[in-house]
Amino acid sequence: MRNVRGTRHSLPNTRTLTAIAQDPSIKFRGKILTTELTIPAEDLLPGPCGYRVNVIDYDSTTNTLYDPMTYGEQDSRGKYVDPFAYKPNGRASTARKARHDRSLIENPKFHAQHVYAIAMRTLAQFEFALGRRCAWGSDGHQIHIAPHAFADANAFYSRLDRGIFFGYFAGADGKVVYTCLAHDVVAHETTHALLDGLRWRYMEQSMPEQAGFHEGFADIVALLSVFSLPDVVDAGLDLASGERSHLISSSLLEADALKNSVLFGLAKQMGRELSEVRGDALRRSVKLRPGKPYMSAERYPEFAEPHRRGELLVAAFINSFLDIWLARLSKIGPIANGKKDRSIVRDEGAQAAGHLLTMAIRAIDYCPPTDITFSDYLSALLTIDREVVPDDGEYHYRAALLKNFKAYDIQPAEDADIDGTWKRCDEDLIYSRSHYDSMLRDKEEVFRFIWENRKPLGINEDSYIEVQSVRPSLRVGPDGFLLHETVAEYIQILTLQANELKAALGITPPSNVAPLHRLRIFGGGALIFNEYGQLKYQIANRIENAKRQQARLDWLAAQGLFDAPPEPRPPTGPQSKFADLHRLRVERIPE
Ligand SMILES: [Zn+2]
């Protein structure tokens, strides 16, 4: 570590790096809107290569390895100088800013900094929300990120390649469009890698809602990350008011005005060429009208497609964000002629987005580890918030989420409590044969607990059972008190021939599946232990849930998944699952 001897104890924990606030097409007075991201500080190797993110600037299309981004010496406070920070400098600043903008777009070293900074910020947001370190879905502690991986309008995470890959392509005006310069695209792909680390069975073949969840969740995290930046909310308010003054008219802060000007205005400005990559979740979800039976396969068959399904989740969240922002604004009185202090309006918006983002991530711990549905996720959101904020707080986040999820036809889980939260575990369980202390960290000990309690926990004894993770979690409530939990995840797999389904589980085999075809049925649950090692919640998908299993098998059979024996191993390289998913987004979504 290059630092002054004897001052290691005072090394900073954070640093700031310049990034593009949304994408290069969002401008203020003709200039690209940039922001400074606060991220964990660390000693960096050329790349940048740090303890969790390793940027390798290799272009497989042109077989070019670009020079790595290298930071100079750290200053006396242990901080690197950000070479891309813009400092306005008097009258010449307009021309200087234009030159600075060009350097951001054209300099591959800035692109390397950009993906590093956003991936690290997204990781830090997950670790803050969950109160522990978070692993990537791919093996290893470091994920590789290639900012100019290939010449194609695509960007994706690949578990097998242990990396995130960003393409580039020629835009309509002939200029190159870099997907790595879109803030939300980088946050979206990083979220896929982190969700895969938390729930890796969500990549299994299942109902379209599971793939839709991966996409919708990645979009939610990306959009709320961007809206938690005050610079972006400011840009939205510019679009609403047409000026930048320290006051803003209250009439611009009504629900429809905010939705149409701030959210839709920003969505319209976002680079249209990048919509091929990002799928335009914001623009499309803002336009989705509430109150329709979107989940009905008969009425809205197009919403069976994973990306369109994911838009329902985004619409529910974006409208909740608006409701909570409005609730916060209603507490601020006007200061002159019906106008409000713009900086407070902006900060309240950014804070509402930040709080919702934390909730969105925390809820993953309270989701079943297999075959997720949007209803499961809604119940998880409501429950985790009740655990941390029992009285629904000053701004009624839970009420806003419940209202807006229902508006997009997403109901709480069928086996949830009357208020939509998961039911607390009230089974009489055996604790005396497992050791409290080791159950907080040891998969074998949790397995023993499950085995001893398999009857009250409803565990199918014929299935393969595996505890996949045991993770501590420490969360801070708004009252400053800490909530300690241990979250364990187990899965169950039952492999049966098609002709055994009826007798074993009461499931009718799909008509196009051969009687001897072997099928895998998944189950599993999340176990949430309180600070005394007592089970608070068992959030499970049961193997014996015939209705759910029947729907999954029927869907997969209709997709032709059982027509041929499964591939021994999915292909590696750029043709991986997310590459295909993102291409499907482009090909299947009608304008
Ligand atoms: Zn995606």
Side-chain angles (χ1 to χ4, degrees):
M1 172 80 61
R2 294 175 297 276
N3 198 21
V4 183
R5 183 186 289 269
T7 61
R8 284 173 186 240
H9 63 281
S10 59
L11 283 173
N13 289 322
T14 59
R15 66 177 303 195
T16 57
L17 283 177
T18 301
I20 289 171
Q22 167 48 34
D23 73 38
S25 59
I26 306 262
K27 296 185 174 177
F28 175 63
R29 291 186 182 149
K31 305 292 178 285
I32 294 174
L33 191 71
T34 57
T35 190
E36 290 202 331
L37 299 184
T38 301
I39 59 168
E42 59 174 328
D43 193 26
L44 287 166
L45 295 174
C49 172
Y51 78 116
R52 300 302 307 280
V53 171
N54 183 7
V55 179
I56 298 176
D57 202 357
Y58 175 68
D59 182 339
S60 63
T61 302
T62 61
N63 193 27
T64 308
L65 183 64
Y66 291 91
D67 283 345
M69 173 66 208
T70 305
Y71 293 94
E73 291 292 302
Q74 296 172 52
D75 67 17
S76 59
R77 291 168 299 141
K79 288 200 173 188
Y80 290 111
V81 174
D82 174 4
F84 300 105
Y86 178 69
K87 295 186 178 55
N89 182 15
R91 278 186 297 170
S93 65
T94 305
R96 278 186 62 237
K97 179 73 174 90
R99 274 202 305 282
H100 184 256
D101 279 1
R102 270 201 306 282
S103 79
L104 298 186
I105 290 184
E106 293 168 4
N107 190 340
K109 291 188 178 179
F110 173 70
H111 302 182
Q113 165 166 312
H114 198 247
V115 292
Y116 166 78
I118 295 169
M120 284 301 288
R121 179 171 184 253
T122 310
L123 172 67
Q125 284 164 329
F126 271 71
E127 293 186 339
F128 170 78
L130 295 171
R132 59 171 184 266
R133 297 293 175 208
C134 292
W136 308 110
S138 47
D139 290 339
H141 302 293
Q142 293 162 308
I143 198 159
H144 301 102
I145 304 187
H148 315 97
F150 44 76
D152 190 11
N154 202 358
F156 59 86
Y157 155 67
S158 166
R159 182 198 288 169
L160 288 166
D161 297 306
R162 295 168 56 195
I164 303 175
F165 304 91
F166 295 94
Y168 58 89
F169 57 99
D173 58 1
K175 289 183 181 160
V176 180
V177 178
Y178 296 100
T179 62
C180 68
L181 287 182
H183 194 126
D184 62 323
V185 172
V186 181
H188 175 109
E189 299 309 328
T190 309
T191 301
H192 276 313
L194 287 162
L195 178 59
D196 194 30
L198 287 165
R199 290 284 186 268
W200 71 278
R201 291 282 173 182
Y202 289 178
M203 301 266 278
E204 298 280 356
Q205 296 286 356
S206 183
M207 299 290 286
E209 211 153 302
Q210 178 150 281
F213 181 77
H214 237 291
E215 288 307 321
F217 180 74
D219 280 334
I220 290 165
V221 172
L223 289 171
L224 292 176
S225 296
V226 166
F227 282 116
S228 67
L229 294 167
D231 291 319
V232 171
V233 184
D234 244 345
L237 293 173
D238 283 342
L239 292 170
S241 63
E243 58 173 358
R244 185 162 284 198
S245 118
H246 69 283
L247 294 175
I248 188 161
S249 167
S250 297
S251 63
L252 296 172
L253 304 176
E254 306 290 331
D256 285 346
L258 280 180
K259 187 167 178 171
N260 290 325
S261 55
V262 177
L263 295 181
F264 199 55
L266 279 172
K268 274 199 295 194
Q269 283 219 342
M270 285 185 190
R272 290 300 300 267
E273 287 158 326
L274 277 165
S275 65
E276 284 194 14
V277 179
R278 66 160 64 98
D280 257 359
L282 179 59
R283 193 166 58 97
R284 300 179 72 95
S285 63
V286 171
K287 282 202 289 192
L288 268 184
R289 289 179 57 199
K292 309 271 182 190
Y294 290 112
M295 304 295 263
S296 158
E298 292 77 38
R299 296 281 305 277
Y300 286 90
E302 66 269 32
F303 283 93
E305 194 279 326
H307 296 99
R308 296 241 60 195
R309 194 74 148 195
E311 284 167 18
L312 299 175
L313 215 49
V314 177
F317 254 96
I318 286 295
N319 284 286
S320 301
F321 164 58
L322 272 182
D323 280 355
I324 292 162
W325 191 7
L326 287 166
R328 298 176 72 102
L329 291 180
S330 69
K331 311 253 168 169
I332 310 165
I335 54 173
N337 302 327
K339 293 188 172 184
K340 296 194 176 183
D341 184 318
R342 179 192 165 112
S343 66
I344 297 177
V345 170
R346 174 198 64 197
D347 292 347
E348 291 291 331
Q351 276 188 28
H355 289 168
L356 265 176
L357 174 61
T358 299
M359 279 177 77
I361 297 169
R362 280 180 176 169
I364 298 296
D365 267 355
Y366 277 52
C367 287
T370 57
D371 300 321
I372 176 116
T373 66
F374 292 178
S375 293
D376 293 334
Y377 184 60
L378 172 57
S379 286
L381 273 168
L382 299 172
T383 312
I384 187 65
D385 194 58
R386 186 188 62 189
E387 287 295 316
V388 182
V389 191
D391 64 355
D392 201 18
E394 199 178 352
Y395 303 116
H396 309 296
Y397 280 57
R398 287 207 285 290
L401 285 164
L402 192 58
K403 178 191 110 183
N404 287 298
F405 271 69
K406 284 185 172 176
Y408 291 93
D409 203 21
I410 305 167
Q411 307 296 329
E414 275 179 11
D415 47 354
D417 231 328
I418 193 152
D419 63 354
T421 59
W422 292 123
K423 286 182 182 145
R424 282 180 180 271
C425 177
D426 56 5
E427 298 290 344
D428 196 11
L429 301 173
I430 301 167
Y431 291 93
S432 58
R433 289 183 178 160
S434 38
H435 296 286
Y436 161 73
D437 197 47
S438 97
M439 207 155 76
L440 302 184
R441 61 183 67 87
D442 188 340
K443 290 196 273 189
E444 305 301 333
E445 196 72 47
V446 174
F447 183 75
R448 163 132 209 203
F449 171 81
I450 291 173
W451 191 252
E452 288 295 340
N453 291 292
R454 59 190 182 276
K455 290 225 157 33
L457 292 177
I459 304 288
N460 182 300
E461 295 177 0
D462 298 326
S463 64
Y464 168 77
I465 311 164
E466 184 185 325
V467 175
Q468 295 208 307
S469 65
V470 186
R471 297 164 171 142
S473 177
L474 194 60
R475 299 168 171 121
V476 186
D479 58 358
F481 281 84
L482 295 175
L483 179 69
H484 289 263
E485 286 175 345
T486 302
V487 184
E489 187 197 354
Y490 68 91
I491 55 123
Q492 295 169 263
I493 301 172
L494 188 60
T495 306
L496 294 171
Q497 291 179 174
N499 59 6
E500 295 169 333
L501 286 170
K502 192 77 188 172
L505 299 172
I507 301 172
T508 307
S511 55
N512 59 339
V513 179
L516 298 183
H517 196 109
R518 288 165 70 77
L519 303 162
R520 297 212 296 173
I521 311 287
F522 288 98
L527 300 176
I528 315 288
F529 296 96
N530 68 13
E531 57 201 306
Y532 309 108
Q534 305 286 304
L535 188 66
K536 277 203 290 192
Y537 298 101
Q538 180 196 14
I539 299 154
N541 274 339
R542 298 190 190 281
I543 280 194
E544 295 82 357
N545 185 336
K547 184 179 161 198
R548 198 159 174 149
Q549 303 291 8
Q550 182 82 59
R552 173 178 173 270
L553 286 184
D554 288 347
W555 167 261
L556 296 180
Q559 305 306 302
L561 209 84
F562 306 129
D563 294 354
E567 293 281 328
R569 183 180 158 85
T572 58
Q575 298 307 314
S576 71
K577 186 174 175 70
F578 281 109
D580 294 343
L581 254 182
H582 288 178
R583 267 203 197 85
L584 283 176
R585 160 133 77 179
V586 179
E587 289 164 7
R588 288 202 191 163
I589 298 179
E591 185 49 35

